[in-house]
């Protein structure tokens, strides 16, 4: 692959309180995609020496082996400083991610050889607020994003060359997807030696226009490379959790000389239920707790710590995947 780009990024102070940011980027992409499968078969016949038959098969169609694409992306942001402690902003961003080839472990339907680029449009509103004379900081961002030709990781059952049913997980393009949610975090200095911070995020993903998406539902047709499609409109666009919580605290004890200090940290992460595209259901939520104990010099030249991560030692299922039937080797 080769990439060529040109960009400009500018901040314009239109008043003492207001700033407008404008950015533009042009990108051009050229790719060469190939995957050749080699099948070697031993043909053993009575009274004859073994023969070897070698068959080559291209996993990516010839017309898809050389591709090129280009896009223009950018950002437009308005930022306003209400006072020394509070800043608010609104922004629009245009994004792009190039397409490429699906590399598989075995020959798959030619329709999955290549997937196209996706485009995204994002609107975000947010603020940064310094609290209580600088002892606290509160950040907040709310966003809404739409994707066109969304690159979706599908699970597909198809009729393979041996007339059996195989399952692959290619990336395919879905007409439209949308994502919305918020991120917020607060940091507060409880005392000169004690800091506490908390973060909360919500992320909702949905396939808003997803007709005729390759899927694993039903038995594929009898012809080689046949596969079924489903209407997945309204389904989750990703399997990551919707809610995430992070709590962090650090307490330090300065030495008598003031040249170093001892500190202890605790980090708690909680994730809500993951989503399984295979089961079309939610998996379990989970939490992890990490503890740290350390010593450091005032100049931070030296910092040594011992730690114990994942204190709860819990187990959670984060993802699963459908597989084709396992052959009955005994018979």
């Amino acid at each position: 692959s080769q990439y060529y780009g040109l960009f400009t990024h500018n901040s314009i102070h239109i008043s003492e309180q207001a700033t407008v940011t404008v950015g533009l980027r042009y990108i051009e992409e050229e790719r060469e995609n190939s995957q050749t499968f080699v099948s070697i078969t031993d043909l053993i016949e009575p009274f004859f020496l073994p023969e070897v038959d070698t068959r080559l098969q291209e996993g990516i169609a010839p017309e898809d082996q050389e591709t090129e694409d280009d896009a223009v992306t950018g950002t437009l942001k308005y930022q306003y400083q209400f006072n020394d402690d509070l800043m608010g902003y609104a922004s629009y961003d245009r994004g792009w991610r190039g397409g490429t080839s699906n590399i598989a472990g075995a020959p798959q339907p030619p329709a999955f050889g290549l997937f196209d680029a996706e485009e995204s449009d994002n609107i975000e509103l947010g603020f940064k607020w310094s609290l209580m004379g600088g002892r606290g900081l509160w950040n907040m961002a709310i966003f809404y994003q739409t994707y066109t030709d969304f690159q979706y990781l599908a699970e597909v059952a198809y009729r393979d060359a041996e007339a059996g049913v195989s399952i692959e997980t290619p990336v395919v393009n879905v007409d439209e997807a949308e994502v919305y949610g918020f991120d917020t975090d607060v940091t507060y200095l409880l005392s000169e030696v004690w800091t506490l911070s908390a973060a909360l995020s919500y992320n909702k993903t949905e396939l808003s226009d997803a007709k005729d998406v390759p899927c694993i539902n039903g038995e594929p047709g009898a012809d080689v490379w046949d596969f079924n499609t489903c209407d997945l409109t309204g389904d989750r666009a990703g399997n990551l959790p919707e809610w995430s919580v992070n709590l962090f605290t650090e307490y330090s004890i300065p030495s008598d000389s003031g040249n170093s200090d001892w500190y202890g940290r605790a980090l708690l992460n909680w994730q809500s239920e993951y989503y399984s595209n295979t089961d079309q259901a939610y998996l379990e939520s989970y939490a992890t707790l990490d503890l740290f104990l350390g010593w450091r010099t005032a100049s931070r030249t030296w910092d040594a710590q011992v730690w114990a991560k994942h204190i709860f030692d819990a187990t959670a299922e984060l993802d699963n995947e459908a597989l084709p039937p396992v052959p009955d080797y005994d018979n």
Side-chain angles (χ1 to χ4, degrees), residues 12 50 137 146 163 172 181-182 202 237 261 265:
I12 305 166
L137 179 63
T146 60
V172 300
F182 68 87
Y202 174 74
D261 62 345
R265 295 175 182 160

Side-chain angles (χ1 to χ4, degrees), residues 43 115 249:
L43 302 177
F115 57 91
T249 186

Side-chain angles (χ1 to χ4, degrees), residues 252-307:
S252 61
I253 303 175
S255 64
D256 294 338
S257 64
N259 294 326
S260 64
D261 62 345
W262 292 91
Y263 64 88
R265 295 175 182 160
L267 175 63
L268 177 67
N269 287 299
W270 176 82
Q271 309 275 1
S272 67
E273 301 90 344
Y274 277 63
Y275 185 77
S276 166
N277 287 321
T278 300
D279 296 339
Q280 297 286 293
Y282 288 92
L283 307 175
E284 293 183 0
S285 62
Y286 75 98
T288 61
L289 176 63
D290 304 334
L291 300 178
F292 304 83
L293 179 64
W295 170 87
R296 64 196 172 196
T297 59
S299 61
R300 300 298 192 267
T301 305
W302 287 93
D303 191 336
Q305 66 178 221
V306 294
W307 48 263

Side-chain angles (χ1 to χ4, degrees), residues 74-229:
T75 183
L76 177 63
K77 178 181 294 185
Y78 177 77
Q79 175 180 321
Y80 190 83
Q81 194 76 37
F82 293 94
N83 52 52
D84 291 341
D85 297 328
L86 178 61
M87 183 273 287
Y89 67 91
S91 69
Y92 164 77
D93 295 279
R94 175 76 165 177
W96 178 85
R97 181 164 60 170
T100 185
S101 53
N102 279 304
I103 301 300
Q108 60 181 347
F112 304 145
L114 196 71
F115 57 91
D116 295 329
E118 69 178 16
E119 298 175 338
S120 64
D121 296 278
N122 180 68
I123 298 174
E124 182 175 318
L125 303 174
F127 64 81
K128 299 180 183 294
W129 195 356
S130 180
L131 308 171
M132 301 181 183
R135 293 185 63 175
L137 179 63
W138 181 16
N139 300 316
M140 180 78 179
I142 302 172
F143 60 88
Y144 175 78
Q145 189 167 16
T146 60
Y147 289 86
T148 304
D149 292 328
F150 176 66
Q151 295 173 0
Y152 176 72
L153 183 64
E155 287 185 294
V156 187
Y158 65 93
R159 189 69 61 184
D160 57 33
E162 285 72 37
V165 176
S166 293
I167 294 180
E168 276 292 346
T169 54
V171 176
V172 300
N173 291 104
V174 171
D175 289 340
E176 186 181 81
E178 64 179 14
V179 179
Y180 56 88
F182 68 87
D183 291 297
T184 184
D185 64 86
V186 178
T187 301
Y188 186 69
L189 188 65
L190 296 172
S191 71
E192 192 173 336
V193 295
W194 191 6
T195 303
L196 178 66
S197 65
L200 172 67
S201 67
Y202 174 74
N203 186 47
K204 180 72 172 180
T205 67
E206 185 176 85
L207 300 176
S208 49
D209 186 1
K211 301 179 179 64
D212 300 326
V213 178
C215 61
I216 59 174
N217 296 1
E219 183 80 6
D223 294 335
V224 176
W225 307 138
D226 277 354
F227 58 88
N228 292 335
T229 61

